[in-house]
Amino acid sequence: MTDLFSSPALRVEQPRKMLATRTQYDFYDGSGTLLAVATETTERSRRKAVRAALPGNVLAGPQTLLLRDTAETPLLIIEKHDNRRLTTVRRPMADAEGDDLFEGELLGAIRAERTTRHYSLLNAEDARIGEVTGDLGLRKFSVTDTENRHVAQINKKWAGLRAEMLTNADRYSVDIGTKRLSEALRSLIVVTAVVLDLTLHESKDVV
């Protein structure tokens, strides 16, 4: 397990760009060391980027991000489906030449339930292994396990007025407790901040 999946505190940040044609999230540990980067696998045209930046617009269609560590080793594939309510997480595969294939063994999924405040964390067998519940402001999200124990906290951080309004610089903190968690649950918690941003705030990704 890499430091990304063992660190008790993470920061997930988008680079500050006025116009981005490819979604990116940087993962840092509590001391500010870069651990991994998730980057969208398909680049959008500049025209689509500008259209998505208009007020009230949300990026439509599926999105796929590849999460790599700082040695460029593929760790996870994050696939937001077309309806924006389901995101699957897979382990990457490579062909005989070592080229990355954007498909692989299913690790689990994150599914929006009744509202965008409520999410189920599912394992590869589609069984619920955790839940994510947000506050009314959609900035603080509590993660619980199947026994309703609080195991992690994900908060959207204030990035400053200019950054919040004019750039894609969304920032999140991910605090994971000391309880022993399954690989699937811990991995899903780590990428939940990305899923929340893709689902709730991605309309600013290209501003």
Side-chain angles (χ1 to χ4, degrees):
M1 182 176 289
T2 69
D3 290 341
L4 176 64
F5 301 112
S6 60
S7 177
L10 296 170
R11 294 199 335 259
V12 183
E13 301 183 1
Q14 291 179 286
R16 296 193 178 194
K17 297 179 180 179
M18 297 302 291
L19 181 66
T21 57
R22 196 185 296 264
T23 302
Q24 179 178 320
Y25 297 89
D26 298 334
F27 291 75
Y28 300 88
D29 65 14
S31 63
T33 300
L34 181 66
L35 301 178
V37 176
T39 307
E40 193 170 7
T41 60
T42 302
E43 188 170 10
R44 295 185 291 274
S45 69
R46 188 177 181 86
R47 181 178 180 183
K48 287 183 178 180
V50 172
R51 286 182 59 192
L54 297 176
N57 285 353
V58 176
L59 289 175
Q63 288 176 272
T64 300
L65 287 80
L66 180 61
L67 178 65
R68 298 175 184 261
D69 64 16
T70 53
E72 295 293 314
T73 302
L75 301 175
L76 294 174
I77 300 165
I78 306 165
E79 300 172 307
K80 186 191 76 173
H81 291 230
D82 195 28
N83 63 9
R84 297 198 310 129
R85 298 192 67 84
L86 179 68
T87 302
T88 51
V89 180
R90 296 180 178 273
R91 298 183 180 91
M93 294 177 60
D95 60 20
E97 286 72 38
D99 296 326
D100 297 328
L101 298 179
F102 299 113
E103 60 182 45
E105 179 186 1
L106 180 65
L107 177 67
I110 301 171
R111 185 178 65 207
E113 298 293 357
R114 303 178 299 278
T115 71
T116 50
R117 289 179 53 219
H118 301 90
Y119 299 81
S120 291
L121 305 181
L122 310 169
N123 65 14
E125 289 72 41
D126 203 37
R128 185 180 285 108
I129 57 176
E131 294 186 359
V132 181
T133 305
D135 65 356
L136 292 177
L138 298 176
R139 300 189 74 90
K140 297 181 179 181
F141 293 83
S142 174
V143 184
T144 54
D145 62 15
T146 54
E147 297 181 7
N148 202 35
R149 296 178 300 183
H150 184 270
V151 295
Q153 183 70 34
I154 302 169
N155 292 338
K156 187 176 188 298
K157 311 298 288 185
W158 177 250
L161 182 60
R162 183 178 182 277
E164 290 277 337
M165 297 298 295
L166 299 176
T167 77
N168 66 337
D170 290 322
R171 300 167 55 196
Y172 296 82
S173 63
V174 181
D175 295 302
I176 303 176
T178 58
K179 295 183 177 66
R180 294 181 61 87
L181 304 177
S182 67
E183 177 191 358
L185 180 55
R186 181 172 285 272
S187 298
L188 291 176
I189 291 172
V190 167
V191 301
T192 290
V194 170
V195 174
L196 292 173
D197 198 68
L198 293 176
T199 303
L200 301 173
H201 305 288
E202 183 59 8
S203 60
K204 289 196 307 179
D205 176 69
V206 291
V207 178

